[in-house]
Amino acid sequence: MSNENPDLKIAQSASLKPIDQIAKKLGLNNGDIEQYGKHKAKIPLSYIDDQNVSKNNMILVTAITPTPAGEGKTTVSVGLVDGLNHIGKQAVAVLREPSLGPVFGVKGGATGGGYSQLIPMEDINLHFNGDFAAIEKANNLLSALINNNIYGRSRNLGIDPRTVKWRWAMDMNDRSLRHIVTGLGGKQGGFLQESGFNITAASEIMAILCLARDLSDLKERMGNIYVGDTFSGEPIFGRDLNAHGAMAALLKDAIKPNLVQTLEGNPAIIHGGPFANIAQGTNSLVGTKIGLSLANYVVTEAGFGADLGAEKFFNIKCRAGGISPKTVVLVATVRALKYHGGVSKDQLQEPNANAVKEGLGNLEKHIENIKSFNIPVVVAINKFIADTSEELQCIVDRCNELNVEIAYADGWKNGGKGMADLAQKVVDAANSCDRSFKPTYELNAPLKDKIGAIAERIYGANKIVYSPNANTILRRAETLGFSDFPICMAKTQNSFSDDAKSYGRPQNFTINVREVEIAAGAGFIIPITGKMLRMPGLPTKPAAENIDIDKNGNITGLF
């Protein structure tokens, strides 16, 4: 399902409309948007209208547990926007920005597929409007200020380097940077200190940008970042280093959402990009609110499976923003269900209805989880050419037994027209929803009870084990007054458990919390489970090896 074919390249070129035309579809004035060339722009936060936010319809797209076969969540999200506009609704996509780590690593481009894509794709996938670079610089400014304070004498705060957990950030996959030593080079190099890098999508600065209400809130949250402790045990925050003003200044443009378009010329707002396995996994709150301020329907997505992205979307983002979706679209594919049913990747093209049936447990658990939030769910089968009618019918029959709406998503092949049935079912479900979501836990519950609620109710675990270090940090969080923070689990995306090779719907398993991080600026606690890493590595053959550019500036191999 490569996007690089001549017909599609022609469609991409012919479909690009001037960004001011796209802005007009949302009622934006050309003089108010900040254009980045002909086909991209930033939208000022002044367009947020809380009255419209509360009355318009937000649709969340999530998926079953991801597999190497791919589920096409972004393809469905973009296609659904085109489908809604196709049936006469005013709809906008509000999605995350791609990270260069996956773009150059395994995944490649992240703008959808086939005729359900965002454009200009090369620009979106590579640097975009500089948001990730600004986030990276703000993160690393704080790292530099911490090290400078430890090194200095006249204004030294007495920070104990052993307590500093703040890490550097880079938007690239590199396993060699997970654990490093800084301060080499003798006295002029500062003090020796263990450190490391997170990928930018896992930086707390990214999380803050995506939860901040405005620039003032952004700056305050920067000041609330927990850095570590003094030798006497007193907490040190970003504001103690006078870091928050300069950090926020670096993000003055990055906080503004970006406007692009779909292949069919419908508006798309792209902003922020936290991963769902190591962060909250959804686009910015301000991006979502701008979308809801300007369009009747907003289609947004949460990363990876519903156990990660959707859970955090509800329990973190919706709480922070006072918003609630009207419908959840759960994306599934025949290929992925066969994989969860025990079929190896190289055999997924072979018809196997029995394997689909075996893999349905994964779909059923995700449906149960979404229903626990008290929001309607519509299952979208993202169709592939090799799917057989018997395999597809297995999914339809099971959803009918569960009394769950289901529709085919054929946007990859047919664009908005191929999504019309799904779009109508989403509209009907949204019209039936007259309630707000039900959270998984109450914020005033003890931290371990909140972690347990996610592990047991959402993942299906029957036991949680904490390392001594995790227990120590949880106690420290309580001492600092952070007991009422929501939980942002870091867990493998490949399983409900913390074992990446436990597919389907695992039973009778333990969640192992090996570390805990306090993200006081973002306003949540991060339990890190199993072997989860916050800096990925590159595969044996990185996607970067396929990317090239010719003398005319035409990029190939990105999709």
Side-chain angles (χ1 to χ4, degrees):
M1 293 179 63
S2 170
N3 296 337
E4 289 197 13
N5 61 68
D7 290 340
L8 194 55
K9 283 293 184 181
I10 292 170
Q12 292 164 1
S13 175
S15 296
L16 267 173
K17 295 179 174 60
I19 197 63
D20 59 330
Q21 291 184 20
I22 304 301
K24 287 178 181 178
K25 288 191 173 186
L26 291 174
L28 294 168
N29 297 318
N30 190 36
D32 289 340
I33 62 171
E34 300 173 15
Q35 294 196 32
Y36 281 56
K38 295 179 180 179
H39 305 118
K40 301 174 293 179
K42 280 190 168 290
I43 307 173
L45 302 191
S46 58
Y47 273 96
I48 294 176
D49 182 331
D50 287 328
Q51 187 173 2
N52 283 347
V53 169
S54 63
K55 73 179 184 182
N56 286 327
N57 302 284
M58 178 168 59
I59 312 301
L60 173 65
V61 178
T62 185
I64 62 173
T65 304
T67 69
E71 282 58 67
K73 191 165 63 263
T74 302
T75 300
V76 172
S77 298
V78 175
L80 180 55
V81 168
D82 289 336
L84 286 164
N85 282 284
H86 180 79
I87 66 171
K89 305 299 179 182
Q90 184 201 28
V92 59
V94 183
L95 307 172
R96 291 175 297 163
E97 302 175 45
S99 162
L100 289 177
V103 167
F104 292 141
V106 175
K107 189 176 180 181
T111 55
Y115 285 92
S116 292
Q117 297 197 48
L118 301 172
I119 49 178
M121 285 172 284
E122 290 91 345
D123 291 356
I124 296 170
N125 280 307
L126 300 177
H127 300 303
F128 203 15
N129 290 345
D131 297 347
F132 271 61
I135 290 165
E136 183 180 300
K137 298 301 183 292
N139 182 105
N140 295 340
L141 171 60
L142 180 56
S143 294
L145 290 172
I146 292 168
N147 289 343
N148 186 61
N149 191 272
I150 292 171
Y151 176 80
R153 294 183 179 181
S154 61
R155 301 179 67 238
N156 189 297
L157 294 173
I159 299 172
D160 183 348
R162 298 168 299 178
T163 69
V164 175
K165 303 301 181 185
W166 188 258
R167 296 164 65 87
W168 301 83
M170 182 176 73
D171 192 34
M172 205 65 65
N173 293 358
D174 190 345
R175 59 179 56 82
S176 68
L177 296 178
R178 290 170 184 161
H179 302 285
I180 65 171
V181 175
T182 62
L184 298 174
K187 289 184 178 181
Q188 296 302 312
F191 291 94
L192 288 175
Q193 183 179 342
E194 287 186 61
S195 188
F197 279 76
N198 290 335
I199 191 166
T200 304
S203 165
E204 186 177 351
I205 307 302
M206 176 68 79
I208 289 172
L209 180 85
C210 289
L211 289 172
R213 296 185 302 274
D214 51 36
L215 196 54
S216 296
D217 185 40
L218 179 80
K219 184 168 73 171
E220 182 178 350
R221 286 173 178 269
M222 297 292 171
N224 291 340
I225 291 172
Y226 175 57
V227 170
D229 300 324
T230 65
F231 284 101
S232 60
E234 295 299 314
I236 297 293
F237 298 94
R239 57 183 174 269
D240 298 319
L241 293 160
N242 296 318
H244 51 310
M247 292 169 70
L250 284 170
L251 299 169
K252 69 178 182 65
D253 293 318
I255 195 174
K256 301 170 187 175
N258 307 288
L259 179 64
V260 289
Q261 60 191 286
T262 72
L263 273 176
E264 297 189 4
N266 293 309
I269 296 170
I270 313 297
H271 196 218
F275 291 163
N277 54 352
I278 47 183
Q280 75 263 42
T282 68
N283 63 272
S284 72
L285 180 60
V286 293
T288 300
K289 286 196 167 186
I290 284 180
L292 287 168
S293 298
L294 301 173
N296 298 137
Y297 288 86
V298 163
V299 177
T300 188
E301 70 176 25
F304 294 123
D307 57 316
L308 288 168
E311 180 273 312
K312 296 170 184 178
F313 183 90
F314 283 109
N315 289 314
I316 297 177
K317 179 174 180 174
C318 288
R319 272 180 158 143
I323 56 178
S324 183
K326 293 292 184 66
T327 306
V328 177
V329 175
L330 178 62
V331 179
T333 64
V334 165
R335 300 193 313 170
L337 289 172
K338 285 193 285 191
Y339 191 85
H340 283 296
V343 176
S344 61
K345 184 180 178 181
D346 60 355
Q347 296 294 315
L348 291 175
Q349 294 294 99
E350 300 298 320
N352 194 333
N354 288 331
V356 173
K357 292 177 182 177
E358 288 295 316
L360 284 173
N362 188 272
L363 174 65
E364 291 166 8
K365 177 56 177 166
H366 285 295
I367 290 172
E368 288 176 19
N369 287 344
I370 294 168
K371 285 186 173 181
S372 74
F373 294 108
N374 202 30
I375 298 296
V377 57
V378 178
V379 172
I381 304 177
N382 190 24
K383 291 178 69 177
F384 284 73
I385 295 171
D387 298 346
T388 69
S389 58
E390 185 182 7
E391 291 170 328
L392 293 166
Q393 195 61 44
C394 290
I395 308 173
V396 173
D397 289 345
R398 188 63 185 126
C399 287
N400 288 338
E401 291 169 4
L402 296 171
N403 196 29
V404 172
E405 286 287 349
I406 184 167
Y408 293 119
D410 202 12
W412 188 90
K413 181 180 180 182
N414 294 310
K417 184 179 179 181
M419 302 292 286
D421 183 45
L422 175 62
Q424 188 57 59
K425 289 186 176 180
V426 165
V427 170
D428 294 342
N431 288 339
S432 73
C433 184
D434 57 359
R435 55 196 179 274
S436 294
F437 78 98
K438 177 183 176 183
T440 306
Y441 52 80
E442 297 301 324
L443 290 176
N444 59 5
L447 291 175
K448 282 192 174 182
D449 286 359
K450 290 184 277 195
I451 296 169
I454 297 170
E456 293 168 7
R457 298 177 199 170
I458 302 297
Y459 304 159
N462 61 354
K463 186 178 180 182
I464 304 115
V465 173
Y466 297 87
S467 71
N469 178 60
N471 280 319
T472 298
I473 301 302
L474 285 172
R475 288 193 295 270
R476 181 59 173 159
E478 292 169 348
T479 300
L480 292 171
F482 302 143
S483 297
D484 61 347
F485 278 6
I487 303 299
C488 185
M489 299 288 280
K491 180 186 73 69
T492 177
Q493 69 274 20
N494 296 319
S495 174
F496 280 112
S497 73
D498 60 16
D499 176 3
K501 295 182 179 180
S502 185
Y503 308 126
R505 183 176 183 171
Q507 306 285 339
N508 302 316
F509 61 89
T510 298
I511 290 291
N512 300 279
V513 180
R514 79 168 197 270
E515 295 179 49
V516 173
E517 292 187 6
I518 299 171
F524 51 63
I525 302 297
I526 308 172
I528 302 175
T529 67
K531 298 179 180 180
M532 197 64 226
L533 300 169
R534 304 189 75 190
M535 168 54 85
L538 288 170
T540 303
K541 184 179 180 182
E545 294 184 14
N546 300 321
I547 299 172
D548 201 1
I549 187 168
D550 65 20
K551 63 181 182 180
N552 297 315
N554 298 310
I555 296 173
T556 59
L558 189 58
F559 313 113

